[in-house]
Amino acid sequence: MSKFVPARASLAALAFALAIPFQAQAAETENEAAQADSAIQADAADDQGDNVIIVTARRRDEDIQDVPIALSVIDAAQVDSQGLFNINRLTQIQPTLQFYSTNPRNTFVNIRGIGAPFGLTNDGFEQGVGIYIDQVYYNRIASATLDFVDVEQVEVLRGPQGTLYGKNTTAGAINIRTRAPSFTFEGRAELSVGNYDFKQAKATISGPISNTIAARISLSSTDRRGTILNVKTGQNVNSLDNLGIRGALLWQPSDSFKVTLSGDYNIQDPICCVQIYARVGTTQRAANRQYAALIARFPGYAVPSTDPFDRVTDLDANIRARNEHGGVSALVEWELGKFALTSVSAYRYWDWTPANDRDFTGLPIFLKVNNPTQQKQYTQEFRLNYEAERLNFVVGAFAFYQEIRTQGIQEQGPAASAWLLNPTSALSNNPAVLNGVVANNDIRLDNVSLAAFGKLNWKVTDAFTVSPGIRINYDKKDGQYDSVVTGNASNGTRQIVSNVPTSPFFNDPWIAAQRGVQASQFFEVDFSDWNLSYDLNLGYEISDAVNAYATYARSFKTGGVNLNGVPSRADGSAALEVAVIKPEKVDHFEIGLKTKFWDNKATLNLAAFWTDIQDFQASVISNISGSNVLRGYLANADKVRSRGVEADFRVQPSDRFTAYVSGAFTDAKFVRFVDAPCPPELAGGTTVSGTQVPGPAATPGALSPANCDVSGQWLPGVSKWAFSWGAEYNVPATVFGLEGNAYAGYDANFRSKFSSNASRSIYTDIDAYSLQNFRAGFRTDRYDFFVWIRNAFDEEYFESLAVTPGNTGLISAQMPDPRTAGLTVSARF
């Protein structure tokens, strides 16, 4: 439990106490309501009868139905009522959004099945879904795991957004906007409690300091004990322990000029993140080196349960996932007649302090596999907007600098020899051979990106608009990987474990055994490239209520460098030919239709898309000649494709009833990938050479292919079919003398079967599942009280399944939340 917990316990009580005097002061300042800014407009947007949604997807305010791109919006009311307090929760209402996280550093956000490769974290590559908060680009995907703090609106933009949102938005962007400081006093407070000792508190206060200066401060805290019991330590693991603070100061000396200074601090410090025993499959490894035989080498040991839904584990290493983010930004907005100038300056940092158990058992095989990381980023963006009757455009420039420093450690324990060495070797019976082998890693990346961009909207006729866009980008990355592995030689001395044949103790039997597991490596690598993104969007207004659009986009995701180590050649040197990852090149086609009908009480939006990606960045396994250790790294698959159709229907026939249904069919697959890593059932045996033929799948001792052709297979992580739906109904009611509405809501989602491995495996497909959520309560203009139940029918499913190292056949599971229930009380003034 973090040191902030005592403060959290009183957070909501403090907010409610502050509400009383502020309500009185607010009453005295009602005559200043005319000064209300966007924060008050946000309240109006929460009104159940308001069917106009304003978005900033194209860096200007527009009605969502007029924006010719595939776009979904989640407002503050939906975030609060459905418990969507981070991006992971958004997947329940966004059918084409995929989120997978085994810990904040190992997090992947995809849209339409593309964005990031599955299963391999690497400091030297970037995601394909851009995350922006208040116009600031968040490079590290770990920010996606943090709680939202005082969010006004979340926009999910689907498809490449390279001209306005930058190079690494080949799959889309998530644009988050928080509430701005207001020139009328206002406040919000919310407290939620539930099972598993769930406690969540939110509080916001905003108001004027002077006639030209306003301030806002917001806090959010989430705390919950873990949903998995570690029988070894007695701890409940995979807990929640989050705290977020955001402050903003607005200076607005005139209607045409304003400056917003913002700062935030966010910390997670849970007992997290563990993956537990899911199942065991048969590989091509020798029978005496597969899971059952290895476990048998430790008499008296057994996994605490072979049913993952018993939610128990016995991991014996320390567990921690401290994730700290923070930053400051300055947003300057200056209107000059038909022109508007915007400047966004920001500094952000990320500090990641983990502790993991990466043997996924209660045995002391690995005592530590941790990669603490620190990152700093600086960004500067300038934009000039022009707005006229027939023509508007935005031009701009963007600069980005980033430093990443990672200090990894991997330490093997007394069970490592029996687990990792060939049982036919006498050394496997000697715990001292691998016990105490330590790898200390120093990983460094300096990353520079510069861009110039422009987007034009030309209204050729009253109905027809042509919108070309262009962005030129320069990227430079300088990386260093330095792993020093030490172990005890057979004479008891401490020595460097090296791949270089001329190194001291190279032929020592203990050092040779250690080298077969892990060896030292050092290399430096750099990458630089220019890239051009461009798109053409055609919009046609068929009628006041029907808009059609068509888009072609050529985009890219920047190249990268492998900073988790690369295979070694026979002479022990690093295979630098695979140290650089080529950029992805994207061709995207999309057509869509946006409609309003029934006197604007209903909307139906349709989109069909086809995305081809050349040189898709994907996980591979080494087949470098002479390499003594199989090592995973990132390389390029020849081609992948994602195509499909999406539909989004929403209806609000009256102030009493709202409903929505969203669905997507996504066909995402590898078109050509002939040297992919093999699934576990085709791995682990002696690699074929010459004219040898691989043995049958899942046959112990069979020959294994060096790699596999997965052309035509599913991309991991994406379902062919995904749906979300829900409704809310309210009736007038009076409770405790308060006049308001009693209401009931229902939300659900469905995802069909999907693959959870880089190459599809018979052991890692995740079956279809559906989640049902209910809520019921009473609300007034000022108060809201409701009870909720999520995953109401306690659906048993996996968030992800992973192949554990060594091809032993053990499959680990990332477990989702079980059924949860609770009560939420909120007030605003």
Side-chain angles (χ1 to χ4, degrees), residues 72-74 79 90 148 151-156 174-176:
S72 299
V73 172
I74 303 95
V79 167
L90 294 184
F148 298 147
V151 164
E152 180 178 54
Q153 188 164 282
V154 180
E155 301 170 8
V156 180
I174 297 174
N175 185 29
I176 300 171

Side-chain angles (χ1 to χ4, degrees), residues 42 62 147 185 200 236 246 291 351-352 384 437 446 497 528 547 686 693 726 740 742 782 790:
E62 298 175 280
D147 287 0
F185 284 105
Q200 185 174 73
N236 292 293
R246 173 174 289 273
Y291 181 82
D351 191 347
W352 166 237
L384 179 67
V437 173
D446 295 322
V497 180
S528 62
N547 291 308
T686 302
V693 177
R782 182 164 291 174
R790 297 170 186 143

Side-chain angles (χ1 to χ4, degrees), residues 21-33 185:
F22 268 98
Q23 288 181 41
Q25 191 167 9
E28 296 174 1
T29 58
E30 286 181 355
N31 60 338
E32 300 176 10
F185 284 105

Side-chain angles (χ1 to χ4, degrees), residues 21 35 41 46 50 75 94 151-152 206 232 255 268 301 358-359 407 420 436 496 610 702 764 783 816:
Q35 301 180 37
Q41 296 171 20
D46 289 343
D50 190 349
D75 64 16
Q94 295 290 298
V151 164
E152 180 178 54
S206 183
K232 178 84 71 171
D255 291 339
Q268 298 169 305
Y301 176 76
R358 283 293 178 255
D359 56 58
Q407 309 83 38
L420 300 174
I496 299 292
W610 186 301
T764 57
Y783 302 106

Side-chain angles (χ1 to χ4, degrees), residues 60-104:
R60 42 197 283 262
D61 290 342
E62 298 175 280
D63 181 348
I64 186 174
Q65 291 301 110
D66 296 333
V67 180
I69 61 176
L71 169 66
S72 299
V73 172
I74 303 95
D75 64 16
Q78 200 171 5
V79 167
D80 293 339
S81 65
Q82 297 184 31
L84 308 174
F85 57 82
N86 58 29
I87 291 177
N88 184 19
R89 299 290 183 104
L90 294 184
T91 61
Q92 297 185 18
I93 60 169
Q94 295 290 298
T96 51
L97 178 66
Q98 297 92 39
F99 179 99
Y100 304 101
S101 178
T102 55
N103 61 47

Side-chain angles (χ1 to χ4, degrees), residues 467-485:
S467 303
I470 191 169
R471 188 182 190 103
I472 186 168
N473 228 97
Y474 172 74
D475 291 281
K476 180 174 175 57
K477 296 182 177 181
D478 294 290
Q480 174 187 292
Y481 177 81
D482 185 8
S483 179
V484 179
V485 182

Side-chain angles (χ1 to χ4, degrees), residues 231-556:
V231 299
K232 178 84 71 171
T233 64
Q235 292 177 315
N236 292 293
V237 297
N238 289 7
S239 60
L240 297 175
D241 188 4
N242 308 339
L243 178 68
I245 303 173
R246 173 174 289 273
L249 191 68
L250 170 63
W251 176 48
Q252 189 169 356
S254 69
D255 291 339
S256 61
F257 182 80
K258 60 182 178 180
V259 178
T260 305
L261 302 177
S262 301
D264 66 279
Y265 175 80
N266 307 271
I267 187 169
Q268 298 169 305
D269 196 7
I271 305 170
C272 187
C273 301
V274 305
Q275 296 80 55
I276 67 174
Y277 178 106
R279 61 179 64 125
V280 171
T282 304
T283 74
Q284 291 181 322
R285 209 178 196 201
N288 64 353
R289 302 200 70 186
Q290 300 215 28
Y291 181 82
L294 291 172
I295 288 293
R297 301 195 68 185
F298 300 90
Y301 176 76
V303 64
S305 176
T306 57
D307 181 354
F309 298 102
D310 286 341
R311 297 182 180 272
V312 295
T313 189
D314 64 345
L315 302 185
D316 59 325
N318 290 330
I319 301 297
R320 192 183 188 191
R322 188 181 189 277
N323 181 35
E324 181 182 334
H325 274 263
V328 293
S329 66
L331 172 63
V332 180
E333 299 168 284
W334 191 9
E335 294 182 8
L336 303 165
K338 293 183 178 181
F339 291 92
L341 180 65
T342 302
S343 170
V344 186
S345 310
Y347 160 77
R348 297 208 59 77
Y349 78 94
W350 175 48
D351 191 347
W352 166 237
T353 309
N356 302 302
D357 191 328
R358 283 293 178 255
D359 56 58
F360 305 95
T361 72
L363 298 169
I365 301 168
F366 291 105
L367 305 181
K368 298 177 183 177
V369 185
N370 308 329
N371 290 285
T373 297
Q374 305 84 43
Q375 181 232 330
K376 298 177 182 178
Q377 73 166 57
Y378 304 84
T379 56
Q380 175 63 57
E381 183 172 9
F382 294 106
R383 295 195 307 273
L384 179 67
N385 287 62
Y386 173 80
E387 197 79 38
E389 183 178 354
R390 291 284 182 182
L391 190 73
N392 65 74
F393 64 79
V394 56
V395 295
F398 177 77
F400 170 84
Y401 175 72
Q402 175 190 50
E403 291 181 358
I404 302 179
R405 302 293 184 262
T406 299
Q407 309 83 38
I409 183 170
Q410 177 171 305
E411 180 179 351
Q412 295 164 19
S417 296
W419 190 270
L420 300 174
L421 300 181
N422 193 326
T424 61
S425 167
L427 295 180
S428 70
N429 297 315
N430 186 347
V433 176
L434 294 186
N435 188 27
V437 173
V438 176
N440 286 290
N441 303 328
D442 181 7
I443 303 172
R444 305 186 179 197
L445 177 71
D446 295 322
N447 184 7
V448 174
S449 183
L450 304 171
F453 58 90
K455 182 73 173 180
L456 171 71
N457 298 303
W458 175 33
K459 200 166 187 177
V460 182
T461 70
D462 289 343
F464 181 55
T465 302
V466 176
S467 303
I470 191 169
R471 188 182 190 103
I472 186 168
N473 228 97
Y474 172 74
D475 291 281
K476 180 174 175 57
K477 296 182 177 181
D478 294 290
Q480 174 187 292
Y481 177 81
D482 185 8
S483 179
V484 179
V485 182
T486 58
N488 292 323
S490 57
N491 65 359
T493 61
R494 197 74 177 166
Q495 301 294 335
I496 299 292
V497 180
S498 174
N499 271 320
V500 180
T502 57
S503 63
F505 286 82
F506 182 82
N507 294 315
D508 181 89
W510 285 27
I511 297 296
Q514 295 161 13
R515 184 171 60 249
V517 176
Q518 190 169 17
S520 301
Q521 187 175 80
F522 174 85
F523 63 87
E524 295 177 318
V525 60
D526 63 84
F527 166 87
S528 62
D529 196 17
W530 289 88
N531 285 95
L532 185 69
S533 293
Y534 49 90
D535 58 33
L536 177 63
N537 180 276
L538 306 177
Y540 187 75
E541 186 178 320
I542 299 172
S543 70
D544 289 343
V546 180
N547 291 308
Y549 68 89
T551 297
Y552 167 72
R554 180 62 184 260
S555 189
F556 77 99

